[in-house]
Amino acid sequence: MGKGFLIAYCLMPGASFMAIKAVFFDAAGTLIRPTKPVGESYAVLAKEYGKDVPPAEIRERFHSCFSSAPPLAFPEVSSEELLGLERAWWKDLVRRVFEPWGPFARFDEYFSELFRYFSSPDSWSLYPETMETLSLLKERRIVLAVISNFDSRLLGILNGLGIDSWFDSILLSSRVGHAKPDPEIFHAALRLHGLKPEEALHVGDSREKDAAGANQAGLIGVLLDRNDRVPQDSFPKIRSLKEIVRLTEQGS
């Protein structure tokens, strides 16, 4: 399916993009990525703490556990409670990742180092087109925001990578109390910026949490499928963030 069709694609048959005033982005897998594959990072550190598991097996187990985990969202908790709840959520997830390989004697030490590792901006990198895309959208005076199923560490990561200042807001599921695909996290971003749902695009690499979730909330959901693995669905699909710029031009 040609790129021209995807760019001209409209959310509803016979409809057209109205003036797009905002673009909301997913973070991990969309704007940023781990500098090393998750399975490799988990495995290398685990071996240092006495647990030798192949990276490929950890990768598969991580994706399975992550997709079945409860939402990383904590409604109506104090800021003092929040950081502890975030850490506990990840500790439970990582513990379940290693369950098939039996007891992990030094798990607490391992998890502490793993949590610190993924807190560091050095453990993450920008996708090649991220900065150019943000710059082009800012030139068009588009409101930019992040909507991510992540925890408070993302703020330091985006700051360390030098892109936090590009965004008018950063909404974290752990803090908002709702995680994608729950419509409420999208509605929270719309309310923050005084926008109607049809005035905003949301782009991310998850079909269910980003594209479909945004559509269900009334926004224009866009699937970022860099490797063209997902069949065309009822929403636009792009292979590079830079295509978002053209999508915003459809309503101009």
Side-chain angles (χ1 to χ4, degrees):
M1 190 167 293
K3 182 184 292 184
F5 172 85
L6 297 180
I7 298 304
Y9 180 87
C10 296
L11 184 61
M12 298 290 290
S16 61
F17 288 124
M18 67 179 296
I20 297 301
K21 297 181 179 179
V23 176
F24 301 154
F25 292 90
D26 173 49
T30 300
L31 297 168
I32 65 174
R33 58 185 170 186
T35 52
K36 296 179 182 178
V38 169
E40 179 182 336
S41 298
Y42 273 52
V44 168
L45 279 177
K47 192 169 184 178
E48 293 179 11
Y49 287 90
K51 200 69 170 175
D52 192 359
V53 182
E57 294 183 26
I58 292 182
R59 182 188 67 241
E60 293 301 318
R61 179 69 182 169
F62 174 83
H63 289 306
S64 174
C65 292
F66 188 82
S67 63
S68 63
L72 178 54
F74 309 105
E76 301 180 5
V77 300
S78 68
S79 56
E80 292 78 12
E81 294 176 284
L82 180 63
L83 296 182
L85 289 169
E86 290 174 342
R87 183 184 175 90
W89 189 94
W90 280 105
K91 190 170 186 177
D92 181 66
L93 173 66
V94 176
R95 181 180 287 111
R96 288 191 292 113
V97 167
F98 283 92
E99 278 179 353
W101 297 285
F104 193 158
R106 301 180 65 192
F107 176 78
D108 287 348
E109 296 172 78
Y110 166 71
F111 174 76
S112 293
E113 184 168 349
L114 187 72
F115 195 78
R116 284 194 300 271
Y117 173 82
F118 282 108
S119 302
S120 171
D122 292 338
S123 300
W124 299 85
S125 62
L126 299 174
Y127 281 98
E129 77 275 21
T130 295
M131 290 294 288
E132 181 182 359
T133 301
L134 296 177
S135 179
L136 290 170
L137 291 171
K138 273 296 185 184
E139 287 177 6
R140 292 180 52 79
R141 298 187 178 181
I142 299 290
V143 172
L144 303 180
V146 171
I147 301 178
S148 176
N149 287 358
F150 212 115
D151 59 76
S152 300
R153 293 176 297 169
L154 183 63
L155 301 176
I157 292 166
L158 296 181
N159 177 269
L161 293 174
I163 63 169
D164 62 322
S165 60
W166 288 96
F167 299 105
D168 299 285
S169 65
I170 299 173
L171 285 82
L172 307 176
S173 63
S174 64
R175 296 188 173 195
V176 175
H178 301 275
K180 298 177 295 185
D182 187 331
E184 185 53 34
I185 194 168
F186 297 104
H187 293 163
L190 294 172
R191 288 194 299 269
L192 187 61
H193 297 289
L195 296 167
K196 300 175 182 177
E198 61 269 23
E199 293 175 326
L201 294 173
H202 174 77
V203 58
D205 66 317
S206 169
R207 180 197 177 281
E208 292 77 18
K209 295 177 181 178
D210 292 307
N215 276 4
Q216 290 166 6
L219 292 75
I220 300 169
V222 180
L223 178 65
L224 177 59
D225 184 14
R226 288 189 172 89
N227 297 313
D228 199 22
R229 293 175 176 171
V230 181
Q232 183 62 40
D233 208 322
S234 57
F235 37 73
K237 188 178 76 163
I238 60 175
R239 295 193 64 182
S240 167
L241 285 176
K242 288 191 288 186
E243 294 178 54
I244 284 292
V245 179
R246 296 193 199 180
L247 284 177
T248 65
E249 292 169 351
Q250 296 303 305
S252 300

